[in-house]
Amino acid sequence: MTPTRVNTQPFEGQKPGTSGLRKKVVDFQQPGYLENFVQAIFNTIARCEGETLVIGGDGRFYNREAIQIIMRMAAANGFARILVGQGGILSTPAASCVIRKHGACGGIILSASHNPGGPTEDFGIKFNGENGGPAPEKLTEAFYQQTLAIEQYLTIDADDLDLDQPGSAQLGNTQIDVIDPVKDYADLMESLFDFERMAALLTRGKFRMCFDAMHAVTGPYAKEILEKRLGAPQGTVINAEPLEDFGGGHPDPNLVHAHQLVELLNNDDPLDFGAASDGDGDRNMVLGKGFYINPCDSLAILTANAQLVPGYAEGIAGVARSMPTSRAVDRVAARQGVDCYETPTGWKFFGNLLDAGKITLCGEESFGTGSDHVREKDGLWAVLFWLDLIAAKEQPAREIVRSHWIQYGRDYFTRHDYEGLDSDSARQMIDQVRENLGALVGRAFGELSVESADDFQYRDPVDGSETTGQGIRVLLDNGGRIVYRLSGTGTQGATLRVYLDCYQKDPALLELDPQKALAPLIEVADRIAGINRHTGREQPDVIT
Ligand code: VG1
Ligand code: CO
C-alpha cells in the first residue's frame, strides 16, 4: 500500500507544555491538527522504518479516533510494528513499561492526565522515547519547530482496525499487535514487591482498603493486581470502569476531587487505607485512617524504608525531587549518605538521572512518585509500595508517618492554586516579582525576613543542558520557603501555583493543620507578589 501525502499547513501554538501537548478536544478535531503534531514527531525522531512503536491512552473522549489516525500515519511512515493496548488503553506508566520491555523506539501516549475529559473538555498527546520516558525539552522543542515547518503528512487509505480483540493484524506493511494493556505492568509490579506478604495483609480480614480509580485508566490495572493477584475482596476498587468523560468528574487524586474516597477514610467506621490515581495512572494519593499523607512526605518515607521492599533491598543510589517539592526527602538522603537532586517541575527532568543510575527514587509534590522500574511517575506502584511497607512493618500508615516525623522532623507543605486567571495579568505579576528579586533580599515582613530569592534554573548533571525560568524561590530566615510558578498543563487562561513549606522539629508541634502552621508564610507570599492585587482573588481555588 503506497502512503498518501496530504498537504497541510502549520497550526498556531502546538507547543508542548510540562507534559506534552494539551488542548481542547475541538482543537484536536480540526482537520490536520493532530496529524501535524504526529508527523512532526515522526520527522524529528526519524527514522521510523523497521521500528516498533507503542500507542495507547487513558481512554478519554477522542482516544479511539486519535489512535486510528496515528496507526495509519505510523504505517505510512514505515514502522514495522505497532503495539497498541486493547481498547486503546495504556496507562502512562504501563506504556513506559511496554516500551522498555519490547524494545520499542518509543511510544505515543494520548492523555491530558488529570484534566477533565469529554467532547468539550481536554485531550493531549505526548511522546516517550526508547527509555520509556517523556521526551526531554530539546526534543519537544524540535517537535514544535517541525509543527511550524510542516507542509505535508503521510497516511494510508485503510479502514479502522478493531482495537477490542487481542491479536495481530496488518495495516499496509505494518504489523499491529493489540496487546493486553495490564499484563506486562502487573508482572513488573510482582517482581518488585512481596506479593505474598501483601496478600496476607489484604486477605486476613482485619485490614480494609479502597482504591478509587476515578473512572479513569487505572481501573483494570487495580482490579487485576489488588483483587485478582493479591486477593483483596471484590469491590476494593471503586469507579473501576474507564469512561470517556471520567463519569463527569475530575480524575485528579486530591482531597477535593477524590471526595468519595476521603469520606470512606473519615466516616464512623473508617477504612485502614485508601488510595486514588489520576486520568492516566501516573499520580497517586494515599490516605491512612482519617489521615492524609502529603506526597512530599510520601517520597521521603518510601526512601527511608526502601530496603524493606524486595525491589529495593540493596539500597538506593540516590534520589531526586522537583524544586517545589518539600525538602523532606533531602533529610533522608543526607542521613543515608546518598545524593539528592533538585530538578525543574515535570517528569522529563528525572529521565537522565534515572538512565545514568544516579537515582533510584524520585517524586514531585503533585502526587507523582516513581523509581527506576519505568521512566514515568507511577500511581499504582506507589500504592503497592505503601501496602508492602504496611505489611512489612505491621504498622498502620498513620504510625509510619508519625514515627518518620519524630525521627526526621516534619516539613509542613501546602500548594495554593489560582485557576483560570487572565494570562496577561498572571504573567505580569510573575515578571514583577522576578524584576524585584534583588530588592527582596533582606526585606522584613513582620517577624520574617527574606534570606535569598532567585529564579530557579537547572543544569542537567548528565548532558549539561540548561533550563531557566523554572519558578521563583524565596527563602525566609525561619527556614520557610515560598515558590511561585505558572502551570504548563492548563488549557484555559493561566494557573498560578504557590508552594509553601517550612521545617518543624519540635515534637510538640508535629501535628498541626498545615494551613495553620504555614499561615505566616501564606501571608508573606501574598505581600511579596500582590496576588490579590493582581488577580482580584481572595482565596485559592484549590488547596492541597
Ligand atoms: C503539573 C504538575 C507537575 C506534573 C505535571 C504533569 O504541571 O505540577 O508536577 O509533572 O502536571 O503531571 P504544571 O505545569 O501544571 O504545574 V500529569 O499527571 O498531568 O502527566
Ligand atoms: Co497524570
Side-chain angles (χ1 to χ4, degrees), residues 400-420:
I400 296 177
V401 178
R402 274 203 189 120
S403 47
H404 185 89
W405 288 340
I406 290 166
Q407 238 186 309
Y408 291 91
R410 175 173 180 186
D411 288 87
Y412 280 101
F413 177 88
T414 189
R415 186 177 98 183
H416 289 191
D417 291 339
Y418 299 81
E419 297 176 340

Side-chain angles (χ1 to χ4, degrees), residues 17-19 22 92 111-115 126 278 280 282-283 322 345-347 364-366 376-377 415 485-490 495 497 499:
T18 315
S19 188
R22 286 188 196 170
T92 288
S111 170
S113 189
H114 56 290
N115 297 15
K126 55 185 174 180
D278 71 332
D280 60 333
D282 55 3
R283 298 187 181 201
S322 68
T345 295
W347 211 260
E364 299 189 275
E365 48 64 43
S366 54
E376 283 280 5
K377 54 187 181 276
R415 186 177 98 183
R485 63 177 280 280
L486 294 179
S487 156
T489 58
T495 295
R497 304 201 197 284
Y499 311 79

Side-chain angles (χ1 to χ4, degrees), residues 529-541:
I531 300 172
N532 174 261
R533 181 161 43 85
H534 282 276
T535 67
R537 301 286 174 88
E538 297 284 340
Q539 290 295 327
D541 298 283

Side-chain angles (χ1 to χ4, degrees), residues 200-326:
L201 174 76
L202 288 168
T203 54
R204 248 190 337 237
K206 282 201 223 127
F207 181 87
R208 296 179 308 148
M209 75 164 283
C210 174
F211 181 93
D212 188 351
M214 304 187 88
H215 285 305
V217 79
T218 41
Y221 296 87
K223 276 209 153 294
E224 168 69 22
I225 296 171
L226 294 171
E227 295 184 8
K228 265 213 185 125
R229 297 197 185 191
L230 291 170
Q234 290 265 325
T236 295
V237 183
I238 61 169
N239 301 318
E241 191 196 341
L243 297 177
E244 287 199 329
D245 65 349
F246 307 121
H250 275 247
D252 198 352
N254 60 37
L255 294 175
V256 179
H257 295 301
H259 50 86
Q260 188 184 352
L261 178 75
V262 173
E263 171 59 21
L264 291 170
L265 273 297
N266 290 292
N267 61 22
D268 296 341
D269 179 25
L271 303 179
D272 298 288
F273 185 69
S277 198
D278 71 332
D280 60 333
D282 55 3
R283 298 187 181 201
N284 73 90
M285 178 174 71
V286 280
L287 302 168
K289 199 177 270 196
F291 191 71
Y292 161 75
I293 304 172
N294 182 279
C296 308
D297 286 338
S298 177
L299 175 63
I301 292 164
L302 300 189
T303 304
N305 295 289
Q307 275 172 297
L308 296 174
V309 167
Y312 309 95
E314 277 161 23
I316 57 166
V319 286
R321 61 165 170 84
S322 68
M323 182 274 281
T325 304
S326 91

Side-chain angles (χ1 to χ4, degrees), residues 41-42 45 51-57 67 70-71 74 79 81-86 88-110 125-130 132 175-177 179-181 184 221:
I41 294 174
F42 293 160
I45 63 166
E51 298 284 355
T52 297
L53 182 72
V54 173
I55 307 177
I67 290 178
I70 297 168
M71 286 195 302
F79 281 96
R81 187 172 173 224
I82 293 171
L83 301 175
V84 57
Q86 189 177 353
I89 293 289
L90 273 178
S91 76
T92 288
S96 185
C97 160
V98 171
I99 293 168
R100 294 167 69 79
K101 183 164 176 176
H102 298 274
C105 76
I108 290 181
I109 304 172
L110 302 160
I125 174 167
K126 55 185 174 180
F127 177 77
N128 284 28
E130 65 181 339
Q175 179 180 326
I176 310 285
D177 292 326
I179 60 164
D180 178 339
D184 288 332
Y221 296 87

